[in-house]
Amino acid sequence: MSLFSVFNVAGSALNAQTIRLNTTASNLANAESVNGDPSQVYRGRHAVFQAMMDDSDTSDDGQDASAGVRVLGIVESTTPPTMSYQPNNPQANKDGYVYASNVNPIEEMTNMISANRSFSSDVEAINTARDLLLKTISMGH
Amino acid sequence: MFDNIFGIHEPALLLAGQRLSVLANNMANADTPNFKARDIDFAEVLGGQGDTPLPVTVTNAGHMTLSDNGVPAGEVKYRNPYQAALDGNTVEMPVEEAAFAENNVRYQASLTFVNSQISLLSYAIAGQ
């Protein structure tokens, strides 16, 4: 029954968007993190999504109608960290410089809004499928 | 007599269910790079349903018989985007939401027709 697959498809999207929101929260929390060693400083993380093809769903036409989405992995931003002269900072290196994380808070905020919107749409899809299924169950009453 | 009491609404209901799943999949992959939005052309699939198909003569035992009351398999096609995103994703959320709402109405309309047919029949059976 294809209506039930909506729950799997939209559920996978809710999971993926939650992971994306988690990375955004982590990035924003560490936006002001500094370190004296540029290789040790926190780098922005971003979830990479991939469409998930369901091989078990071989419907009569052989096409995969339902799929869903999964998080392929988390990539770290390659933007170089910004260097600033803070000799009083206990994290500073011997020349008095610290490296700040490369997180761009504006980018993170827009990313968060986008994840929020997608999440809402997926919840809406689940609610609609649920309503239709409940109406179908009570067919003939 | 009861072979086809629900008429076009039976395949339409099943097709709307299939399409709901395809549209939910588009929404789920709204942020997936290189994902291409898909959809089922409702009119095209159901277009041939009203006509009675030509009978197929079986002249050999090896011939395959065609099922005449099978559910139309919704052919899933790719959507033409108005403006594709730079990451190759062709899901446009407003388009998807509009199609989703439209499909929802279609499903409920077919369901209403099926329900009224059932109550009509039970009225006839009860005879009061």
Side-chain angles (χ1 to χ4, degrees):
Chain A
M1 179 76 190
S2 49
L3 266 182
F4 281 106
S5 70
V6 173
F7 294 113
N8 290 332
V9 168
S12 72
L14 293 184
N15 185 38
Q17 299 294 350
T18 307
I19 292 173
R20 185 175 168 201
L21 274 176
N22 274 335
T23 58
T24 304
S26 165
N27 291 347
L28 283 174
N30 284 291
E32 304 298 326
S33 297
V34 292
N35 202 305
D37 184 357
S39 65
Q40 294 293 311
V41 72
Y42 182 89
R43 288 170 185 274
R45 282 144 205 230
H46 298 282
V48 178
F49 291 172
Q50 189 193 40
M52 189 165 58
M53 289 305 162
D54 184 8
D55 295 331
S56 64
D57 175 35
T58 46
S59 46
D60 27 9
D61 55 347
Q63 290 178 329
D64 294 327
S66 67
V69 64
R70 69 166 166 213
V71 176
L72 188 63
I74 311 280
V75 292
E76 288 197 335
S77 167
T78 52
T79 316
T82 48
M83 192 173 73
S84 63
Y85 184 61
Q86 291 180 20
N88 295 329
N89 194 318
Q91 297 265 53
N93 64 9
K94 60 179 168 37
D95 299 324
Y97 286 98
V98 290
Y99 296 88
S101 77
N102 60 359
V103 174
N104 183 349
I106 298 167
E107 200 180 301
E108 296 304 325
M109 290 305 283
T110 51
N111 220 340
M112 188 179 77
I113 294 168
S114 170
N116 188 6
R117 291 281 162 86
S118 299
F119 197 93
S120 305
S121 298
D122 295 322
V123 170
E124 196 60 41
I126 289 178
N127 281 336
T128 306
R130 193 197 58 196
D131 287 352
L132 291 181
L133 273 172
L134 286 176
K135 280 180 183 166
T136 314
I137 287 168
S138 64
M139 183 196 282
H141 284 278
Chain B
M1 178 191 173
F2 292 119
D3 277 354
N4 196 21
I5 48 173
F6 299 127
I8 191 83
H9 299 296
E10 189 185 340
L13 203 61
L14 292 162
L15 193 61
Q18 277 181 26
R19 189 169 178 228
L20 193 83
S21 162
V22 173
L23 294 176
N25 188 34
N26 286 348
M27 283 196 197
N29 284 291
D31 301 309
T32 307
N34 288 319
F35 181 82
K36 309 296 178 203
R38 294 178 296 180
D39 201 355
I40 295 173
D41 190 347
F42 222 90
E44 188 184 297
V45 178
L46 285 186
Q49 279 294 301
D51 318 325
T52 43
L54 288 171
V56 181
T57 316
V58 181
T59 54
N60 187 299
H63 283 172
M64 289 163 78
T65 52
L66 291 173
S67 61
D68 53 353
N69 57 350
V71 180
E75 199 190 342
V76 184
K77 293 179 174 173
Y78 291 101
R79 206 195 279 295
N80 271 333
Y82 291 98
Q83 188 178 27
L86 272 178
D87 62 357
N89 186 303
T90 63
V91 179
E92 286 155 330
M93 217 33 136
V95 177
E96 298 304 330
E97 274 167 4
F100 201 80
E102 183 217 338
N103 193 56
N104 192 1
V105 173
R106 279 181 192 275
Y107 191 94
Q108 298 207 37
S110 291
L111 206 56
T112 309
F113 276 108
V114 168
N115 269 330
S116 60
Q117 194 68 25
I118 290 173
S119 54
L120 202 71
L121 283 170
S122 52
Y123 179 72
I125 291 166
Q128 51 185 332

